[in-house]
Amino acid sequence: MAMTDDAIAHMDAKVSDEVAISIENMNKWYGTFHVLRDIDLTVYRGERIVICGPSGSGKSTLIRCINALEEHQKGAITVDGTLLSSDIKNIDTIRSEVGMVFQHFNLFPHLTILENCTLAPIWVRKIPKKEAEETAMHFLTKVKIPEQANKYPGQLSGGQQQRVAIARSLCMRPRIMLFDEPTSALDPEMIKEVLDTMIELAEEGMTMLCVTHEMGFARQVANRVIFMDDGQIVEQNEPEEFFMNPKSDRTKLFLSQILGH
Amino acid sequence: MSDTSVAFVRTESIPPSAPPTAESGVIKWVRENLFSSVTNSILTVLSLLAIYYFVFQLVGPWVANGIWDTDSRRECLERLQGETGGCFSVLTQRWHQLIFGRYPLDAYWRPTTAFILMIVAFAPVLFASLPRQLLIVTGLFPFIAYWLIWGGTILSPLSVLVGIILGYVVYSRLVDRSFATGFVGGILVAVAFWMIAGLVLGENPPAILALPEVESRDIGGFMLNMVIGVVCLSLSLPFGIALALGRQSSMPIIKFFSVIFIEFIRGVPLITLLFVASVVLAYFLPPQANFDIIVRVMIMVTLFASAYIAEVIRGGLAALPRGQYEAADSLGLDYAQSMRLIILPQALKISIPGIVNVAVGLFKDTTLVSVISMFDLVGMIRGPIVSTTDWQGIYWELYGFAALLFFVCCYGISQYSQWLERQLQTDHR
Amino acid sequence: MTTITDPPQESFRLSMLLNDTRYRSYTLQFIALILICLFFAWLISNALRNPTLQEIGISFAFLGEAANYDINQRPIPYDSQDTHLRASFVGVLNTLIVAFLGCIMATILGVIAGVLRLSNNWIVARLMAIYVEAFRNVPVLIWILIIFSIVSNALPAPRAFRGEDATASMLFDAFAFTNRGIYMPKPIWEPGSMVVVLTFFASIFAIWAYRRYATKLLYDTGRLLPTFWPSIGIFFLPTLIIFFIMGQPISLEYPELKGFNFGGGVQVRGSFIALWLALSIYTGAFIAENVRAGIQAISKGQTEAAASLGLRPNRIMNLVVLPQALRVIIPPLISQYLNLTKNSSLAIAVGYMDVTGTLGGITLNQSGRALECILLLMLFYLTISLAISAVMNVYNNAVKLKER
C-alpha cells in the first residue's frame, strides 16, 4: 500500500512443476454453516500465493485446514504427497513439513526466545539441544534479533515477536510456510520489518501461502493472488493482472474498498 | 515452469449446502460428545451407571415412598415395613420451627411481610432497569423490617430514620464546603437528635403503632440465617469500602491499621470470632449495657464480612486504569470528590460479582452460629428437633431439606452474579 | 543564566495544618491515631471495669494444670493427667493432620473434576458441573453433618459382622466399615523395616533422577527414553526385593472381631472421616473451578502454535499448557488450602478433637479462661495463615512472567 509503483520490482523466483499442496473439492462446515465450498487449489513448489478477501470469507480457515488445525469434512488435501487424514502419523508428517505464523504471534510466554525456538526441534525432531540452539541462533540472526535470544516474549515489541515466531517455525526446517494475517496485529511502523523478513524468505525460494491485506507485498512478492468471498475462490490471477484488470464484480468492489483511500 | 493459465474467475456462486448426513443430527452428536474415544466411552458408561444407581436405587425410591403425614418416626417405620422411603413428615410437622424458630405462631405474617418487602427493596439494587423510585423502599426497608421482626413501638426505628435524614440534610448543605465538614457535621447532628429523642422518649416510649415485642432469642430457623446474612452484609459494605480506601491510602498510619485489621480477620476462622461474640466480647462492652447474643454475633460477623468485602473492593480499585485517577485529579477534584464521583462508582461496579461471591459465602457461614448454641436452621435440626423422642434418628430428610434451601438461595445468587458479569462486560465495550 | 528561586519561605500558620498538602496528611493521620487510641482505651477501660474480669484477672497459669479430660485421637502420648498445654498441642496436631490430609484429597478431587469439566464428554462434563455447584452452594457445616450421619447411621454396627448370618462383611478381610469408624490393618514394624522404608524413599528419589537423566539425554543426544514404565518399575521393584531379602520385616495386624467390637488394627474414627471427607469434597469443588479457570486462561493460540510445530497433545499439555496454567492455578489453590485449614475448626460440630475442640472447647469451659484461650487460638490460626501467605508471595515472585 505504502509502496509506489517504481519501488515494485517484481520478484522472479523459480517455480517448479513439483506439486507442494493439492486441494481437491474441499468442503468444510461449522455446524450447519458452510464455510468452505468446493475449494480446488494446486500449489507448486516455490510458489508465493497471497490470499485476500473480506473478513469471514474463509481464507484463514482454508490455510488452517492445510495444517490440520481445522478438520475438513469433504474433499482431499495432499501436502508433499501425504494425504491428510485423521491418522495422527499423517498429521505429524504434514505439520513438520509445514510452518505456520499466526496473527497474534502465539509465542510461549514462559520460555525465552531461544527456548521458544528450540522446543519443537528438541522434542519433535529429536535434535540435540546444542545443535538446536545453533540452528535457532542462525535463524534469529536471519530475522535480525540474535541479541534478544535470552529475553522473554513479553519483553519484545510486536514486530520483534512476530519475527521470532517466523524464526521459530523456520527452526523446524519446513518446506512450506503458511502466514495467517501476520501483520494485522502490528503497529504500522512494525509492519515493514516483518514484511522484509517475509520477502527475504520468498527470495530464497520458500513455498508460501499468505493471508494478508498488504497489497504492496502481494504485488512485489506473489506470483499468484487469490480472492476469496463467501467460502469460495472467486478469482485468481497473476498480481499484475489481478490488480490492473480484475474480472469479477466482487473483486472490483473489494479492491476499490481496500485501495480506495 | 509454472503453468501460465493461473487465471480463474468464478462466474456463478456456489450456494451453501447442508453438511453430509454423518456430520449432523443426533448420531453425530452422540458420537462426538459421548463415544469419541475408548476412554470417553468407558467414562460415559460409568457415568450412566452412577446416575442410574443414584436416581433409581437411592434417591428415587426414597422420595417416591416418602411419607408426609405421620406424627413420629416410629409411625413412619411401621408404615414403610422395612422398605426404603423417607419420613418427610418431620418437615410437614416441624416446618415452622425450621423456618421461624420459636417465633410466636400468630405473628408469622410479620417476618413474611418483611421478606417480601426485602425482595422489593433489593430489586432496584440488583436490576438497574427497574424504576429508580423503588429505591425509596430500599431506604425505608431496614426500619420497617426492624419494626416488623422485633416489634415494639414504631417510634424507635422512626427516630433513627429521622436522625439519619437530618444528618443527611446537614451533610448535603455542608458538603460543598468540604467533604469532611459535611461528614462530621452530619454525624454530629444525627447523634444530637438521637440523644434528644432518647431523652424525650425515655425507657418506655409510648406505644404508637406498637406490635407485640419478640425477644431476639426467639428468632431462629432459616429466618435467623437470613437476618444475620442480610444485616451483616449491608453493614459491612460501608466498612469494607472505608477499609479498602484505607488500605490504598498514601497515609502510612491509616494504611497500617487497615492492613492489620484486614489480615487479622482474614487469618482467623469465623468460629473463633463467634466465640469472641459469645464469651469474650461482653468484657469489652460497657458493663451496664446489655447487648444480647444476636447483636454481639452481628457485630463480629459484620467485622468478618467487611474484611473480605474490603479485599474485593481493593481489587476493583486496583483494576481501574491509572488514567481515571489522574483525570479526576486534573479536573481539580479533591480526594473525597474524586472518590465519590469518579473512582468508587466504577470500582464498585467492577467489584459487584466479587461482592456477590462474598455474600454467598457469608450466607453459608451464618450456619456456624449453631456452634455457639444459637438456633438457626442447622441449630434447630441438631437441637430441638432431633432431640425429641418423636423424631430421634431422622437425619437425611432434615439435612437434605436444609441443603436444598441453601442451594436454591446460593445458586440463585451466583447465577445472578454471572448474569451481571455478562451484562457488565457488554456495558464496558 | 537563570536561577530557580525557592518559593518564599512562609511562616507556619495553624491553618496550614488543614489546607497545606505538606501537613494535611500528618494532621489527618494524627487525628486517626488519636481516635483509634481512644477506641482501644474505651475497650480496655470497659474490660477493667468488668466484674468477672476483675475477679479472675488474666493469667496463663491454667495451661500448666492437669487437663482432666480425654482425647480420642492422640498422635502423641497423652492422658487426662497431662496439662492443658499438652492437650492443646494434641489438638494442634489433630488440626494439622486433618488439614494436611484434606488438602491432598481436595487437590486430587479438584484437579480431576476441573479437568473432566473441560472434557469433550458431555455427560461427564455435566456431572462434574453438578458436583461443583452442589458443593459450592451448600454450607460446609451441612456437608460435614451429612457425611457424619452417613458414617454414624448408615454404616453397620460392629456386631453386624458377627456370627454365621452376619449382615455385613469386611472388605478383603482387612477393612471394616462400621458406625464406630473404619478399622484397618496396622503395620507392625520389626527390625530391618527401616531398610525397606529407606529403599522406598531412595526409589522415589531415583525416579526423579531417572527423569532428569532422560531429559538430559534428550538434550545431549536427541535420544528420548521412555519414562512411564521405568518409573513404575523403579517405584515398586527395589522396595519389594529388599522387603523379601530382609525377610518380610513389615507385617500387618488385621482388625478382628472381639466380642461386640473390633480389636487390633487401626481405628479411624467416624468424626475424622466425616470432617476429612466433607472438607476435601467441599474444597475440591472450589479447586475444580480454579483448575478449570487456569486451563481456560491459556489461550487456544498457545495450543495451536504448539500443534503447528508438530508437538503431540500430551507434550503440548506438559511443555506448554501446564507450565503456564500452574502459575494461574497455584495462588488461588494455596488460598483454598488456607480456607480448608480454617474450616477444619468446624471439627467441633462432630466432636473431632482439633485445637478448637481442645483449647477453644473443653479447656476453655473447664478453666473459664475465655479471653486467654481464644487469644491463643487466634494466634495459632494467624501464624498458619501468615506462613501460608509468605509461601504464596515467594512463589508469586518466583514465577512472575517477565514483561516490559
Side-chain angles (χ1 to χ4, degrees):
Chain A
M1 274 186 290
M3 297 183 198
T4 59
D5 280 14
D6 312 328
I8 301 173
H10 191 269
M11 190 185 294
D12 228 8
K14 277 194 214 81
V15 173
S16 76
D17 295 339
E18 196 188 336
V19 176
I21 304 171
S22 101
I23 301 175
E24 282 161 40
N25 196 22
M26 192 258 279
N27 279 273
K28 174 168 176 59
W29 286 264
Y30 281 131
T32 54
F33 178 60
H34 201 169
V35 236
L36 291 178
R37 302 175 198 168
D38 292 351
I39 303 288
D40 283 297
L41 179 66
T42 308
V43 181
Y44 295 92
R45 193 158 298 296
E47 271 203 293
R48 298 141 333 254
I49 298 180
V50 163
I51 305 173
C52 61
S55 62
S57 57
K59 43 195 195 318
S60 285
T61 313
L62 172 61
I63 67 167
R64 287 160 63 86
C65 279
I66 297 175
N67 207 358
L69 287 179
E70 307 266 1
E71 246 186 320
H72 60 281
Q73 279 99 28
K74 229 173 101 183
I77 300 179
T78 315
V79 181
D80 266 342
T82 314
L83 179 68
L84 183 56
S85 64
S86 56
D87 181 7
I88 192 148
K89 289 250 162 53
N90 276 353
I91 294 179
D92 279 351
T93 319
I94 289 175
R95 281 183 178 162
S96 54
E97 294 288 322
V98 180
M100 177 137 182
V101 175
F102 298 85
Q103 181 180 359
H104 294 288
F105 332 137
N106 292 344
L107 294 179
F108 307 129
H110 62 299
L111 301 177
T112 62
I113 301 304
L114 193 62
E115 286 165 345
N116 262 282
C117 294
T118 55
L119 183 80
I122 291 176
W123 289 93
V124 180
R125 286 248 193 268
K126 309 280 190 304
I127 295 170
K129 192 175 178 192
K130 233 175 130 212
E131 207 177 302
E133 280 177 351
E134 279 162 16
T135 318
M137 285 314 290
H138 168 73
F139 285 110
L140 284 174
T141 315
K142 207 164 142 186
V143 300
K144 304 192 182 64
I145 31 177
E147 71 281 0
Q148 313 280 13
N150 290 315
K151 288 194 179 165
Y152 284 85
Q155 297 169 297
L156 267 55
S157 74
Q160 289 173 321
Q161 290 196 43
Q162 194 60 297
R163 283 185 281 153
V164 172
I166 295 174
R168 178 175 73 176
S169 291
L170 292 177
C171 285
M172 286 295 284
R173 310 253 183 207
R175 307 181 68 187
I176 302 163
M177 285 287 284
L178 308 175
F179 292 85
D180 187 2
E181 307 207 19
T183 54
S184 305
L186 293 176
D187 290 339
E189 74 269 21
M190 293 171 184
I191 292 178
K192 188 173 177 305
E193 61 187 60
V194 172
L195 289 183
D196 285 349
T197 310
M198 290 166 66
I199 292 169
E200 209 173 302
L201 209 56
E203 279 167 351
E204 289 169 12
M206 176 67 78
T207 315
M208 290 165 65
L209 243 77
C210 189
V211 173
T212 184
H213 291 152
E214 296 297 329
M215 291 305 145
F217 173 79
R219 285 187 191 200
Q220 187 187 351
V221 176
N223 67 321
R224 219 185 328 164
V225 180
I226 293 177
F227 173 70
M228 283 184 74
D229 193 10
D230 250 357
Q232 41 206 303
I233 296 178
V234 171
E235 181 163 353
Q236 60 170 314
N237 214 330
E238 285 164 353
E240 217 46 39
E241 274 293 298
F242 180 84
F243 288 111
M244 294 304 158
N245 195 8
K247 305 278 191 310
S248 151
D249 291 343
R250 281 193 276 175
T251 318
K252 285 176 196 161
L253 180 68
F254 176 75
L255 285 178
S256 72
Q257 280 166 344
I258 202 162
L259 299 173
H261 45 86
Chain B
M1 283 301 292
S2 76
D3 47 351
T4 45
S5 58
V6 289
F8 165 85
V9 184
R10 186 175 295 287
T11 42
E12 54 196 78
S13 176
I14 308 165
S17 58
T21 40
E23 298 302 332
S24 64
V26 183
I27 300 160
K28 180 196 176 206
W29 187 89
V30 168
R31 188 160 51 80
E32 276 190 359
N33 291 297
L34 298 179
F35 300 99
S36 60
S37 68
V38 180
T39 344
N40 262 336
S41 307
I42 295 172
L43 281 175
T44 304
V45 171
L46 285 179
S47 311
L48 287 175
L49 280 177
I51 294 172
Y52 171 80
Y53 179 73
F54 191 75
V55 173
F56 292 97
Q57 303 285 314
L58 277 181
V59 179
W62 185 65
V63 175
N65 299 339
I67 290 173
W68 295 83
D69 53 354
T70 56
D71 289 331
S72 71
R73 177 164 184 252
R74 204 165 24 82
E75 283 180 49
C76 278
L77 293 179
E78 278 167 19
R79 275 228 238 148
L80 281 170
Q81 302 273 343
E83 286 207 23
T84 327
C87 183
F88 299 105
S89 327
V90 66
L91 301 181
T92 49
Q93 292 280 315
R94 297 300 183 97
W95 67 271
H96 50 94
Q97 275 189 319
L98 291 170
I99 305 293
F100 295 106
R102 283 188 295 235
Y103 206 80
L105 271 165
D106 54 351
Y108 281 178
W109 65 271
R110 283 158 50 179
T112 314
T113 319
F115 179 71
I116 293 167
L117 273 179
M118 182 185 84
I119 294 173
V120 180
F122 277 174
V125 182
L126 299 181
F127 300 98
S129 57
L130 292 172
R132 297 292 84 193
Q133 288 86 334
L134 272 176
L135 282 171
I136 296 174
V137 182
T138 315
L140 294 178
F141 170 71
F143 309 100
I144 303 175
Y146 174 82
W147 174 63
L148 279 172
I149 292 176
W150 274 272
T153 167
I154 200 167
L155 282 180
S156 356
L158 201 62
S159 60
V160 175
L161 176 63
V162 172
I164 289 178
I165 293 177
L166 278 181
Y168 182 75
V169 169
V170 172
Y171 161 79
S172 53
R173 282 286 158 77
L174 292 179
V175 76
D176 291 341
R177 204 168 305 162
S178 92
F179 176 78
T181 333
F183 189 69
V184 174
I187 287 182
L188 286 181
V189 169
V191 170
F193 177 82
W194 289 329
M195 290 174 111
I196 296 167
L199 285 177
V200 171
L201 293 176
E203 281 287 303
N204 294 306
I208 300 168
L209 274 179
L211 292 169
E213 279 193 47
V214 177
E215 294 273 344
S216 285
R217 64 162 185 273
D218 290 340
I219 296 173
F222 194 57
M223 181 184 161
L224 180 63
N225 296 108
M226 289 287 243
V227 169
I228 296 182
V230 171
V231 170
C232 296
L233 187 78
S234 329
L235 290 180
S236 66
L237 275 173
F239 284 113
I241 294 173
L243 281 169
L245 291 178
R247 194 169 185 169
Q248 294 286 74
S249 156
S250 56
M251 295 185 243
I253 292 182
I254 289 174
K255 184 172 179 165
F256 174 80
F257 280 109
S258 307
V259 170
I260 293 280
F261 178 84
I262 293 173
E263 291 304 324
F264 173 75
I265 295 280
R266 283 161 44 91
V268 299
L270 178 57
I271 283 223
T272 58
L273 296 176
L274 291 176
F275 282 162
V276 169
S278 81
V279 290
V280 175
L281 193 60
Y283 293 156
F284 293 101
L285 295 173
Q288 61 278 12
N290 193 12
F291 288 95
D292 64 26
I293 177 78
I294 198 170
V295 176
R296 283 181 277 148
V297 163
M298 278 177 180
I299 294 177
M300 293 318 288
V301 176
T302 304
L303 294 182
F304 178 76
S306 1
Y308 285 83
I309 296 264
E311 280 302 275
V312 169
I313 293 177
R314 183 172 76 118
L317 287 171
L320 274 193
R322 193 78 236 136
Q324 291 293 320
Y325 291 86
E326 285 163 3
D329 283 348
S330 72
L331 286 172
L333 300 176
D334 64 25
Y335 177 79
Q337 283 170 326
S338 67
M339 284 298 145
R340 205 157 39 94
L341 303 171
I342 314 275
I343 305 300
L344 276 180
Q346 300 186 61
L348 286 179
K349 202 172 171 184
I350 307 176
S351 329
I352 289 178
I355 295 176
V356 174
N357 278 345
V358 174
V360 171
L362 182 75
F363 185 50
K364 287 188 296 175
D365 281 345
T366 55
T367 51
L368 300 202
V369 298
S370 63
V371 174
I372 53 165
S373 323
M374 286 175 80
F375 294 107
D376 75 319
L377 181 55
V378 175
M380 268 296 163
I381 294 175
R382 274 157 57 83
I385 294 179
V386 173
S387 61
T388 54
T389 44
D390 281 352
W391 303 113
Q392 207 165 21
I394 288 210
Y395 299 94
W396 309 104
E397 294 80 358
L398 290 165
Y399 288 133
F401 172 73
L404 197 66
L405 212 50
F406 272 100
F407 180 81
V408 169
C409 294
C410 297
Y411 188 69
I413 305 176
S414 59
Q415 288 304 104
Y416 162 77
S417 143
Q418 283 172 20
W419 172 82
L420 192 72
E421 232 168 312
R422 284 195 296 273
Q423 207 73 3
L424 289 178
Q425 263 167 11
T426 49
D427 275 7
H428 262 285
R429 313 216 179 269
Chain C
M1 179 171 149
T2 54
T3 48
I4 299 165
T5 51
D6 286 335
Q9 284 289 318
E10 283 181 79
S11 58
F12 182 77
R13 294 188 317 276
L14 210 54
S15 66
M16 281 168 68
L17 278 181
L18 267 181
N19 298 328
D20 192 304
T21 48
R22 281 171 295 177
Y23 304 118
R24 197 181 152 86
S25 77
Y26 291 111
T27 322
L28 287 176
Q29 293 187 66
F30 186 68
I31 295 172
L33 191 62
I34 289 189
L35 285 177
I36 291 168
C37 288
L38 278 177
F39 178 70
F40 277 103
W42 180 72
L43 289 182
I44 292 170
S45 81
N46 282 335
L48 289 178
R49 284 183 294 141
N50 186 288
T52 329
L53 217 52
Q54 273 174 348
E55 192 184 311
I56 61 173
I58 293 178
S59 149
F60 288 92
F62 69 96
L63 286 174
E65 291 160 15
N68 289 323
Y69 61 90
D70 253 327
I71 296 177
N72 53 22
Q73 180 181 310
R74 297 178 292 271
I76 54 169
Y78 168 85
D79 68 55
S80 60
Q81 289 313 303
D82 279 320
T83 59
H84 280 297
L85 188 64
R86 194 169 176 87
S88 311
F89 189 62
V90 174
V92 166
L93 289 178
N94 282 340
T95 294
L96 294 178
I97 288 171
V98 77
F100 179 71
L101 294 177
C103 288
I104 291 177
M105 189 70 185
T107 313
I108 295 171
L109 287 175
V111 169
I112 292 176
V115 171
L116 285 185
R117 217 183 152 178
L118 292 173
S119 139
N120 51 11
N121 187 322
W122 185 83
I123 201 163
V124 170
R126 280 312 125 99
L127 274 184
M128 290 306 135
I130 292 176
Y131 157 61
V132 168
E133 294 300 341
F135 276 84
R136 283 191 339 149
N137 288 307
V138 172
V140 63
L141 180 61
I142 293 185
W143 282 121
I144 293 176
L145 293 171
I146 287 181
I147 295 183
F148 185 63
S149 69
I150 295 179
V151 175
S152 57
N153 296 307
L155 291 179
R159 76 182 124 85
F161 292 80
R162 256 163 58 89
E164 295 284 301
D165 51 348
T167 49
S169 60
M170 290 170 74
L171 187 65
F172 308 128
D173 276 334
F175 296 91
F177 297 89
T178 75
N179 60 0
R180 294 192 197 178
I182 296 175
Y183 293 86
M184 52 188 193
K186 177 168 140 190
I188 306 290
W189 310 98
E190 282 156 35
S193 57
M194 273 317 284
V195 183
V196 180
V197 174
L198 284 178
T199 316
F200 178 72
F201 284 114
S203 50
I204 288 177
F205 175 77
I207 291 174
W208 175 79
Y210 173 75
R211 288 185 167 238
R212 265 190 73 110
Y213 171 72
T215 315
K216 193 174 174 306
L217 197 69
L218 175 75
Y219 282 173
D220 289 350
T221 66
R223 257 189 70 211
L224 187 57
L225 295 173
T227 50
F228 181 75
W229 287 112
S231 300
I232 300 262
I234 300 174
F235 187 82
F236 287 109
L237 285 180
T239 313
L240 282 178
I241 292 170
I242 295 290
F243 177 73
F244 286 107
I245 287 178
M246 297 300 291
Q248 308 186 18
I250 303 170
S251 58
L252 293 174
E253 181 193 293
Y254 290 94
E256 272 173 62
L257 261 181
K258 285 179 184 152
F260 287 100
N261 206 344
F262 281 91
V266 189
Q267 179 196 11
V268 186
R269 285 176 185 278
S271 54
F272 169 80
I273 293 168
L275 186 68
W276 171 64
L277 275 183
L279 287 177
S280 340
I281 302 177
Y282 179 80
T283 314
F286 287 86
I287 293 178
E289 279 301 272
N290 295 336
V291 169
R292 181 174 77 124
I295 295 178
Q296 279 181 333
I298 309 310
S299 73
K300 207 155 166 274
Q302 292 288 312
T303 326
E304 284 180 350
S308 77
L309 288 170
L311 290 163
R312 287 273 182 88
N314 60 341
R315 290 226 193 290
I316 297 178
M317 201 58 175
N318 285 334
L319 297 172
V320 176
V321 177
L322 274 187
Q324 294 183 56
L326 282 182
R327 288 160 208 253
V328 185
I329 295 171
I330 287 187
L333 185 71
I334 293 178
S335 66
Q336 289 305 335
Y337 290 165
L338 190 55
N339 284 344
L340 189 146
T341 311
K342 288 192 284 173
N343 280 336
S344 72
S345 59
L346 290 175
I348 198 167
V350 289
Y352 176 74
M353 296 300 268
D354 75 331
V355 67
T356 314
T358 53
L359 181 63
I362 304 181
T363 294
L364 187 153
N365 286 333
Q366 283 190 359
S367 64
R369 300 259 165 211
L371 190 59
E372 296 87 338
C373 285
I374 289 176
L375 204 65
L376 289 175
L377 195 58
M378 285 181 158
L379 266 181
F380 164 72
Y381 283 112
L382 264 185
T383 316
I384 289 196
S385 303
L386 291 180
I388 292 181
S389 317
V391 170
M392 189 148 81
N393 281 340
V394 170
Y395 174 83
N396 280 344
N397 286 331
V399 302
K400 202 186 277 170
L401 282 183
K402 289 207 177 59
E403 272 174 37
R404 277 196 290 183

